[in-house]
Amino acid sequence: MSNVELSGIDRTVIGADSAPSSQSSDNALAPAATKSRLGTRGLQLLSWLAPVVLVIIWEWLAQAGWLSPQVLPAPSKVIRTAFKLVTTGTLLNDLGVSLLRAAAGFVIGTAVGGGLGILVGFSRVAEALIDRSVQMIRAIPFLAALPLVIVWLGVGETQKIFLVALGVTFPIYINTVLGIRQVDPKLLELGRVQGLSSLQLIRRIILPGALPSILTGVRYALATAWLALVVAETIGAQSGIGFLAMDAREFLRTDVIVLTIVIYALIGVAADGIARVLERRLLAWHPNYGAAR
Amino acid sequence: MSAHVAPLSPASFETGPAVVVSNLVRSYGSRVVIEKLNLRIERGEFVALLGESGCGKTTLLRALAGLDSIQGGRIVAPRRPAVVFQEHRLLPWDSLWRNVSLGLQVPDARERAAEALTEVGLGDRLDDWPRNLSGGQAQRVALARALVQQPELLLLDEPFAALDALTRIRMHELVRELVANHQPGVLLVTHDVDEAIALADRILVMRNGAIAYEHRAARNASTPISRTELLRELGVNSHSIH
Ligand SMILES: Nc1ncnc2c1ncn2[C@@H]1O[C@H](COP(=O)(O)OP(=O)(O)O)[C@@H](O)[C@H]1O
Ligand SMILES: [Mg+2]
């Protein structure tokens, strides 16, 4: 063991002019050497290799009859089902309904969470009045409130949108308050020196300063919105992706169920992508987010 | 209740002083930092304020800037003195021209910012981010931001302390030039005796909460100021440092 390490050190010291990596006992080589040989593109391709291989094995097991279609249908079957549901069924409609619910809940939750957050962030009085209650409600996992929400609102659209909004409100609230609190007091002082009005102070210094934290909240909120939607749609829905899944369960249509799971996953990825794009565009100035210019 | 800051109308500054401080008292709780301090700076006059660390230089400057309340005496200052702090305090989310024009209430803010940035040698970096600047460049932008307001009084709190020696000398040249062009009254707080000698028309030493020593006409006087004398006023025995 110590031998290998020593030879590794030797090679690093000699480095540049001696042949870099002709020997095969390469495990002591720095990762940089591996990177230079494969390139970033190569590594990226490699990272996709494992999932692709897994899907191929899955397909093969299903084709060979090792996997019962009742348990897990072949990926090709899922794709065919997707096409069929798009052309003859209501998949697109259901997808639209689900997205609308998520969007409505997200907008409401963001407005409430952001509004309360700005109030509490700016006013000590508002903090004394609001913050403790919000922190106490936040201690409840919001999905635990579902039975109560159903008693209040039934299992219609309102219940679903409410649950999503509930899940979105807290991450937005917490990160808005945090962001406002973290604004550098020296910059606030500078704002006063430059003669900014309160409104200009908010627009030019406080909100931009709080934005990184707020966008972190948005990213969390997108994830919880999605989770809330899945749960809400699983109970008593007449349309939407969740309804499609529960309907398929009655007929043991595992291909449809797997399809809905995949759709949920894809939309989750898309939501994360949106959050990323927002961060990159709005935080272009920030060394941790913006693309270097 | 005897204390207040009285704004002067711009007209009275055409010929009058940039700031007049009489019997200023400033305390933190029961701890009195400034006691019965008097000071007058004319327009176009460059005053350097020396004093050992913790003697109250920043406290005085903040009072002049109207950032803190005062406990006694009277400050007659323009409504909005410009301030350059030791840190540049640029807004990282705004481009350079947006930073320079912060608080500027004119329609042609961008042009005005461009002029100011050109004056400090950064006219080609209008749309750049502060994070791409060196320390000296960032401090130059802070100077541009102060001067674009066309202040009657410019307050500088050790603005070059964090810069390397060479950059500091370049900044001295720039500041001298800018002040000559804009003619504000200047109060430069510094701990650097040579900086004070290089820049100021008048050098003050602060001690025990008041101005303890004053030396006039440092730059163009027939009798150049004695560095040793200043150091002695600052409590440094010059023999011990050679
Ligand atoms: N916010 C504050 N609260 C209490 N004491 C302070 C505060 N700011 C400064 N002081 C005290 O006032 C004195 C003068 O400080 P300062 O004006 O910053 O000194 P200088 O700028 O000359 O180094 C110091 O003793 C410091 O401890
Ligand atoms: Mg200081």
Side-chain angles (χ1 to χ4, degrees), chain B residues 35-54:
Chain B
E35 196 169 15
K36 296 250 153 67
L37 183 142
N38 294 294
L39 172 69
R40 177 190 171 105
I41 300 175
E42 305 296 331
R43 285 200 61 147
E45 186 187 24
F46 200 129
V47 175
L49 180 65
L50 291 166
E52 67 182 51
S53 177

Side-chain angles (χ1 to χ4, degrees), chain A residues 112-276:
Chain A
V112 173
L116 286 179
I118 288 174
L119 259 178
V120 169
F122 280 113
S123 148
R124 293 279 155 187
V125 177
E127 180 182 12
L129 279 173
I130 299 170
D131 191 55
R132 191 175 305 283
S133 318
V134 177
Q135 296 294 349
M136 282 164 80
I137 299 172
R138 187 174 77 97
I140 308 166
F142 73 98
L143 292 178
L146 182 59
L148 198 58
V149 173
I150 292 176
V151 170
W152 290 344
L153 303 170
V155 291
E157 288 306 295
T158 328
Q159 165 251 343
K160 292 170 181 59
I161 293 173
F162 183 88
L163 201 66
V164 173
L166 193 66
V168 166
T169 300
F170 296 103
I172 298 279
Y173 169 83
I174 288 160
N175 286 286
T176 304
V177 175
L178 199 71
I180 292 173
R181 287 284 149 74
Q182 280 172 348
V183 173
D184 185 353
K186 289 185 167 175
L187 294 185
L188 293 177
E189 196 175 80
L190 172 86
R192 279 173 60 206
V193 165
Q194 297 294 114
L196 299 192
S197 67
S198 315
L199 212 69
Q200 287 172 320
L201 208 62
I202 292 172
R203 223 170 44 81
R204 292 293 304 271
I205 297 182
I206 296 174
L207 285 184
L211 199 58
S213 178
I214 293 176
L215 286 181
T216 303
V218 167
R219 191 188 269 234
Y220 274 106
L222 282 170
T224 49
W226 214 224
L227 183 66
L229 190 72
V230 173
V231 173
E233 285 193 335
T234 307
I235 292 159
Q238 305 304 316
S239 58
I241 300 293
F243 161 74
L244 214 58
M246 294 318 281
D247 196 45
R249 190 203 56 179
E250 305 234 337
F251 303 99
L252 299 179
R253 289 287 305 272
T254 49
D255 54 334
V256 178
I257 296 178
V258 170
L259 177 63
T260 59
I261 293 173
V262 169
I263 289 174
Y264 275 135
L266 287 180
I267 297 182
V269 170
D272 206 55
I274 292 172
R276 258 174 230 277

